[in-house]
Amino acid sequence: MYTCAPNGNSNADQVDRRDALPGSGVFSHDAGAAYMARRNGDCPMSENSLIDNQFRTAIDMIPTLVWAARPDGSAEFFNRRWLEYTGLTVDEAKNWGWVSALHPDEATNLRETWNTIMASGEPAEAEERLRRWDGEYRWFLFRAVPLRDEAGQVVRWYGTNTDIEHRRQSEQRTEEAEKRLRAAIDTIPAMVWTCLPNGLCDFVNERMLSYTGLSAEEMRGTGWKAMVHPDDMEEHLQAWTSSAETGNSFEFESRLLGADGHCRWFLHRAEPMRDESGNIVKWYGTNLDIDDRRRAEQELRTAHADLAHAMRVASLGEMAASIVHEVNQPLTAIVISGGACLTWLGKDPPDLDKVRTSVEQMVEAGERTGDVVQRLRALAKKGDPQKQLLAINEVIEECLAMVERELDNHGVTVRMELGNCLQPLLGDRVQLQQVIINLILNSVDAMGADANRPRQLLVRSEQTDRDQVIVAVQDSGIGIDPKDLDRLFDAFFTTKPDGLGMGLRICRTIIEDHGGMLWASRNADTGATFQFSLPLQTKV
Ligand code: ADP
């Protein structure tokens, strides 16, 4: 009894009668001739030989190459498809002749593999190229199983070679496509990464590794955090965790530490890929180097700040009359109170109550002068914006105090309609003063052009909803030519002979920096209205 590993089918009949098969029985040509004769109907067939015949035909016809080998690995049988495919004769292929049909690159390899398989006595498989009769090589899957006797000794090897050329080609195509994709991912001028649905990193491209100097292994999971600038880490992590939890697109700017010890600004973006049920299967992200852009923005901001400062200082000149008046007023009060003080001290006995009142008035006037100087210094000073909680009505009143004299000198009557109970807003006091003063001085210019025109200025504040306040400066001046409406805020647009055309531009930048908008409109009757909106702090 023989058993064929691994399925254990009995092949005793087949093995016992092997001499009856053509090419088998060590390629017995006699047996082959007998087989052919029987197949051609030259001699009567018994029932067994009919079965043999069918069996033989099946082996020859199955669409795969079949062979059998002795325990030492030398071949003793090939089916017709094997011989037809290789174009070798039985004599050429038998024993070790079949090795000549292997691709030279794999021939040595396969022989070694084959020896190892035989030594192990276990079923095995290998992929090798086999030469076709016309010289073309195709990939085959070699499978071999041993047949054992009752003592467990291998008495024969049976095998098939299955054509897997199409599979190998498509694998090769996929491999090449992957290589091309990989090359593209590594070459594009951006860092590319992917994360699992739980937010853990599972891939970064070559550019990212060479920038950070970290290894792919170090970047995995949450290891990428090592490249984020410590000052940006908390917010970066918060933004990413929020996206990973909600599935919303990720967009964040932060600095990444380079292997050379420098850090640069990057724009990080990631989108989730979802399956049909909407579940996130992967995050795909890029980090784009925006360091040059950030630097240019910073330089632009500095240039804007310098210009805004220059404009503020210039407007101080325009406000000279008011400044002198504002400083003079309390000084005069101090002098008067000082004189009164002396008078009361000269009485016999001195009227100390009156002296006290006069000194108190002097102190109050002195403090007022101090306030005025403080405000002027703030306007003249150059410094970074400092946002704090402000009451907008207070800022408006301070501005009007600073330009009071100018308005007076130009015969402008001022009306204030300041809304009640306005919530505070987060802003830079000096910058907002600059905007309001600029708008008021422009109105003065617009009303001064025509001597016969009534000169009325209305300054309004109004809380339009819970979150926003609008401040409007409305005048009865010459108004705006409709064709200029779109250009008023352009840099260097001016209709004044000595104008610079930067005031409104700077005002708009300041307001937009505060999260608001500044716009102009023509009044129904005469003059113009400039107004801006600012977001209010709802939670204080
Ligand atoms: P400048 O005052 O140096 O001209 P601005 O940017 O402040 O620069 O103003 C630009 C232009 O906008 C002014 O030249 C003027 O034509 C117009 N403008 C500004 N404010 C008013 C106003 N209240 N009424 C009419 N025109 C105005």
Side-chain angles (χ1 to χ4, degrees):
M1 199 48 185
Y2 290 94
T3 52
C4 177
N7 57 16
N9 288 343
S10 167
N11 283 307
D13 280 357
Q14 178 193 347
V15 173
D16 285 348
R17 293 194 199 99
R18 63 186 185 270
D19 284 353
L21 302 175
S24 65
V26 197
F27 306 100
S28 153
H29 288 283
D30 293 347
Y35 166 76
M36 289 309 290
R38 268 189 282 166
R39 201 164 79 161
N40 295 337
D42 295 346
C43 56
M45 277 188 281
S46 69
E47 197 177 318
N48 268 353
S49 61
L50 188 67
I51 292 169
D52 284 348
N53 216 354
Q54 283 174 350
F55 182 66
R56 172 66 224 192
T57 306
I59 287 203
D60 272 343
M61 296 311 292
I62 52 170
T64 193
L65 316 187
V66 177
W67 49 267
R70 298 182 196 89
D72 70 354
S74 58
E76 57 175 348
F77 164 74
F78 297 98
N79 76 342
R80 191 195 294 173
R81 285 204 186 273
W82 198 100
L83 297 169
E84 278 173 3
Y85 173 83
T86 58
L88 296 177
T89 64
V90 168
D91 280 340
E92 286 166 338
K94 71 183 179 184
N95 298 327
W96 292 102
W98 56 277
V99 173
S100 69
L102 294 173
H103 192 283
D105 289 356
E106 285 122 27
T108 324
N109 210 1
L110 183 69
R111 252 196 108 136
E112 276 168 21
T113 316
W114 190 213
N115 285 336
T116 320
I117 292 169
M118 278 176 304
S120 78
E122 293 300 322
E125 52 185 56
E127 290 185 10
E128 312 286 341
R129 274 171 290 181
L130 204 55
R131 193 185 56 233
R132 202 164 61 185
W133 58 272
D134 58 359
E136 187 189 313
Y137 285 94
R138 293 175 70 82
W139 280 97
F140 278 83
L141 172 65
F142 285 55
R143 276 206 176 108
V145 289
L147 177 74
R148 298 174 187 279
D149 62 14
E150 278 160 355
Q153 285 297 315
V154 175
V155 292
R156 237 182 183 195
W157 285 91
Y158 288 98
T160 55
N161 300 348
T162 312
D163 190 328
I164 54 165
E165 180 67 20
H166 291 305
R167 197 202 80 198
R168 285 293 290 230
Q169 273 181 13
S170 88
E171 275 174 5
Q172 203 177 334
R173 274 197 299 274
T174 313
E175 220 170 86
E176 278 163 12
E178 258 175 32
K179 257 193 218 152
R180 277 199 302 274
L181 193 64
R182 185 68 202 226
I185 287 175
D186 282 339
T187 317
I188 53 170
M191 297 182 181
V192 177
W193 48 270
T194 62
C195 272
L196 300 171
N198 59 10
L200 295 177
C201 174
D202 65 345
F203 167 80
V204 298
N205 73 344
E206 198 50 48
R207 198 169 279 270
M208 201 151 164
L209 297 178
S210 63
Y211 175 82
T212 57
L214 297 171
S215 70
E217 212 38 58
E218 286 170 320
M219 285 285 217
R220 239 169 250 287
T222 55
W224 56 269
K225 288 195 292 184
M227 69 179 177
V228 181
H229 191 289
D231 292 353
D232 302 338
M233 174 62 87
E234 199 183 324
E235 278 186 69
H236 187 132
L237 212 56
Q238 254 175 20
W240 172 235
T241 313
S242 147
S243 285
E245 277 171 10
T246 58
N248 292 335
S249 308
F250 172 62
E251 184 164 333
F252 192 71
E253 290 182 14
S254 73
R255 283 161 293 176
L256 299 185
L257 305 169
D260 58 1
H262 291 98
C263 64
R264 294 177 69 81
W265 280 97
F266 282 85
L267 167 65
H268 315 283
R269 277 206 179 114
E271 290 293 336
M273 189 175 90
R274 296 172 188 275
D275 61 15
E276 299 90 49
S277 328
N279 300 317
I280 295 177
V281 287
K282 199 95 165 188
W283 282 91
Y284 289 91
T286 55
N287 302 343
L288 198 64
D289 189 330
I290 51 160
D291 202 66
D292 295 339
R293 195 200 81 193
R294 286 286 294 223
R295 255 179 240 284
E297 277 173 4
Q298 185 53 45
E299 277 162 21
L300 194 65
R301 259 200 298 275
T302 312
H304 259 280
D306 288 349
L307 192 61
H309 173 249
M311 299 289 292
R312 274 205 307 273
V313 173
S315 64
L316 284 179
E318 285 184 56
M319 301 188 304
S322 299
I323 294 167
V324 170
H325 175 74
E326 272 216 83
V327 178
N328 250 351
Q329 235 186 5
L331 281 180
T332 312
I334 289 170
V335 173
I336 294 170
S337 300
C341 201
L342 289 175
T343 311
W344 300 125
L345 277 174
K347 296 266 180 212
D348 191 19
D351 188 340
L352 290 180
D353 280 348
K354 293 260 168 52
V355 169
R356 175 184 296 278
T357 309
S358 298
V359 171
E360 279 171 359
Q361 283 166 351
M362 283 162 68
V363 171
E364 199 220 329
E367 278 172 356
R368 252 190 301 141
T369 321
D371 281 353
V372 173
V373 172
Q374 192 76 24
R375 266 185 278 136
L376 290 173
R377 272 192 58 196
L379 274 177
K381 215 173 97 186
K382 194 168 160 184
D384 291 336
Q386 298 206 328
K387 292 199 174 157
Q388 51 178 295
L389 286 176
L390 299 172
I392 192 67
N393 287 346
E394 237 176 72
V395 181
I396 295 172
E397 279 164 355
E398 284 163 0
C399 293
L400 281 165
M402 281 192 262
V403 292
E404 199 179 350
R405 276 279 129 176
E406 265 58 45
L407 297 174
D408 227 26
N409 287 350
H410 288 85
V412 176
T413 51
V414 187
R415 199 150 52 92
M416 279 205 279
E417 288 178 7
L418 303 185
N420 283 330
C421 307
L422 292 175
Q423 281 158 273
L425 56 86
L426 194 63
D428 180 279
R429 182 182 288 274
V430 173
Q431 285 190 341
L432 294 180
Q433 281 175 347
Q434 177 169 4
V435 172
I436 298 168
I437 290 173
N438 207 310
L439 297 183
I440 293 176
L441 293 178
N442 272 349
S443 287
V444 173
D445 287 345
M447 292 188 288
D450 185 349
N452 303 319
R453 191 181 289 278
R455 294 171 184 183
Q456 285 158 354
L457 184 74
L458 170 63
V459 183
R460 276 189 291 118
S461 69
E462 185 190 351
Q463 185 168 342
T464 53
D465 56 40
R466 238 169 64 79
D467 303 334
Q468 152 170 291
V469 61
I470 288 192
V471 176
V473 176
Q474 183 178 329
D475 63 50
S476 56
I478 49 170
I480 304 163
D481 191 326
K483 72 174 172 26
D484 293 339
L485 257 179
D486 289 342
R487 304 192 289 156
L488 292 180
F489 298 92
D490 289 353
F492 305 115
F493 174 79
T494 181
T495 55
K496 303 172 193 170
D498 54 351
L500 189 61
M502 283 306 292
L504 288 178
R505 171 80 203 196
I506 289 169
C507 290
R508 181 169 265 184
T509 309
I510 292 175
I511 294 299
E512 285 176 353
D513 271 356
H514 281 74
M517 291 199 313
L518 169 64
W519 68 99
S521 52
R522 286 152 48 83
N523 295 341
D525 44 3
T526 174
T529 301
F530 284 77
Q531 45 196 323
F532 60 85
S533 64
L534 286 175
L536 291 171
Q537 289 302 108
T538 45
K539 286 185 227 139
V540 186

